[in-house]
Amino acid sequence: MDTEATYHQLGRLVSESAFEREDPGSNPAADMVDAARNTAWDLGTSGPGLFGILRRIYVSPAELERRKVKLDIWKSIIVLSIAIFLAFTCYNALVIIHLNINPPLGALSIAIIIVVMAMCATFAPVLTIRKLGHKSTIAFGLLIITVYCGAQFHPMYYTAIPAAMLMGIQGSTLWTAVFSYIVRTGEKFAELNSEEREVCITRFFGTLFMLHQISLTVGYVAISEGFLTNTTNVRVNGTPTSSCGFHYCSDNNSTASPLSGEEFSRGWIILTGVAFGLSLLAAFLVSYYANRLPDLVGDWKEDGEEPPSVGRLLVAPLVQCVQPYMLLLMPLTVWAGAEISFIVHVFSMGFVACGAGEKMTGYVILTFASSSALCSSGSSFLVHRLGRRSIFLSAGFINLSMILLMLNWEPESGHLPLYFIVAAIWGVADAVWHTQLSALYGVLLPANIEAVFSVFVLWHSLGYLSVFLTHSLLCVDASVYILLMLLFSGVIGYLCVEIVESKRYGNTDPTRLLPIN
């Protein structure tokens, strides 16, 4: 019996780690004990000795708790990512198909969603998250998607417009809650796993955006399989009435024959019903399987301070809007919204549908989404190996090269491989903008993260809306010029942030954003 007790004490001595002491280095005697423990640990693990056996058998309570929190964080991130994938898979399909079968109402619905999202981004997210918490805000936002899907069973102006307004309010609160949840859990995971904050947060954002980008593919596969309109270029003596590509104008290039009849109605009802069910399932997964943020990171509401007033909560995003770093990153954030709007709406219609036919649109956008998803999953590895600055500049160079190609390209049906190459390369850059830029906000501006990401959603929405409206009202060339302006100003603003951070902090403060060479 005494021998077993001795073994138990030795196991406790070996498995206790130095980080459990709050102030290592202040007690020389304790430091000598730590050194002895580490030596014994190394000797025990180098062979089948007593210490190696005890290390494998005994785990301290502190270590068990640390492992449990890490596992819960990963579980919550995966559940959250799967829920976003389920909710937005058929939602994106409904939006895309509605835009094609009923262009006036479909375009109006999208415009209302983005405008309301931008208007509500400055006050709705912080109030809702403060009142309900991150988990409940996300679950409630996913339930709103079921309301939108329900309205699509009978898509008329009196059902689609109210549903679009609800989606706009939901969008601002949902994405702010999701982003801030990922940043706070990423910081905690980095602390527990002794990792760099930026790498860990980027890894979580990569998981989220990988599944979110895959959700884009369903709607465009439906287009390619003939679920939508039979849009064809109007030709006179074999020549298109208007040029494709850079000089494409959507008002006079094509005529659309909306699909109708019993077969289409049945397919639309099935798709809407599936979307309704998946959004309910997504809300259920978050409600029952994702952990509450305080259970993972502790109290996030300002560490026990008095709860802020409603006025203070409303002012917080406005204060963030005028912060120097936020102003410098604003053009790049607007660009991130504009570039995905361009590839989804402008490139798909002005280049792919016009040059290669509507049937190829889905497959080309599927290539874009797959490329973006794949690169999102490996974003944390890339930023760790190559550095943040190299990743951002490479993405900017990729987009600039593709834009210059489009300026001098007149798409034709014989250029089929080029459509897929452009989409795949654009997807690589898109993965960088969404994973790295989101992580950059979380690492650079950790204070009042909910207000920070509400501003992020505002700028991103304005970027998406700017290209969508110019594409609907003007020609492709206007959208391209907007993209060039935003890309140059965004990269310049980002480089200013890097220069300021390098001069102010260098590489000495691990709690700050560190310049990566």
Side-chain angles (χ1 to χ4, degrees), residues 273-297:
V274 172
F276 186 88
L278 289 179
S279 56
L280 276 179
L281 177 60
F284 171 80
L285 288 176
V286 172
S287 300
Y288 285 92
Y289 293 103
N291 291 79
R292 294 171 59 249
L293 192 61
D295 296 338
L296 299 175
V297 304

Side-chain angles (χ1 to χ4, degrees), residues 339-350:
E339 60 89 13
I340 193 171
S341 180
F342 177 84
I343 197 73
V344 169
H345 298 295
V346 181
F347 180 76
S348 64
M349 294 302 298

Side-chain angles (χ1 to χ4, degrees), residues 101 153 226-230 257-270:
I101 64 174
F153 281 107
F227 193 76
L228 296 180
T229 61
N230 295 321
S257 322
L259 297 179
S260 59
E262 182 179 351
E263 183 178 353
F264 175 78
S265 299
R266 187 186 305 113
W268 178 259
I269 294 298
I270 291 174

Side-chain angles (χ1 to χ4, degrees), residues 82-286:
I82 293 175
I84 293 295
F85 166 75
L86 293 175
F88 282 90
T89 293
C90 289
Y91 163 76
N92 288 325
L94 289 175
V95 171
I96 295 164
I97 295 172
H98 196 195
L99 181 62
N100 281 265
I101 64 174
N102 192 349
L105 182 55
L108 179 61
S109 298
I110 294 178
I112 289 175
I113 290 173
I114 303 301
V115 168
V116 174
M117 184 185 299
M119 292 174 59
C120 295
T122 57
F123 65 90
V126 288
L127 288 175
T128 307
I129 294 172
R130 175 65 61 166
K131 183 68 175 178
L132 301 180
H134 293 76
K135 176 182 173 179
S136 298
T137 300
I138 296 171
F140 182 74
L142 295 174
L143 282 176
I144 296 296
I145 298 180
T146 64
V147 177
Y148 180 86
C149 295
Q152 301 309 309
F153 281 107
H154 189 64
M156 304 297 290
Y157 280 93
Y158 57 84
T159 59
I161 292 178
M165 296 177 67
L166 280 177
M167 278 299 299
I169 300 173
Q170 170 267 1
S172 61
T173 56
L174 173 68
W175 288 113
T176 301
V178 168
F179 290 162
S180 55
Y181 186 97
I182 288 178
V183 169
R184 291 186 182 276
T185 53
E187 290 176 340
K188 184 65 176 181
F189 192 92
E191 175 188 339
L192 295 173
N193 212 39
S194 301
E195 285 186 293
E196 295 180 7
R197 293 168 59 240
E198 184 174 5
V199 173
C200 189
I201 293 173
T202 301
R203 183 185 304 126
F204 288 171
F205 273 115
T207 303
L208 172 72
F209 283 112
M210 176 185 67
L211 291 177
H212 178 261
Q213 293 301 86
I214 293 176
S215 71
L216 288 173
T217 62
V218 174
Y220 284 97
V221 169
I223 294 176
S224 298
E225 296 303 320
F227 193 76
L228 296 180
T229 61
N230 295 321
T231 303
T232 56
N233 291 337
V234 179
R235 295 180 178 272
V236 179
N237 297 326
T239 304
T241 59
S242 179
S243 299
C244 297
F246 182 69
H247 300 290
Y248 173 86
C249 297
S250 60
D251 59 345
N252 60 1
N253 253 64
S254 61
T255 57
S257 322
L259 297 179
S260 59
E262 182 179 351
E263 183 178 353
F264 175 78
S265 299
R266 187 186 305 113
W268 178 259
I269 294 298
I270 291 174
L271 180 62
T272 305
V274 172
F276 186 88
L278 289 179
S279 56
L280 276 179
L281 177 60
F284 171 80
L285 288 176
V286 172

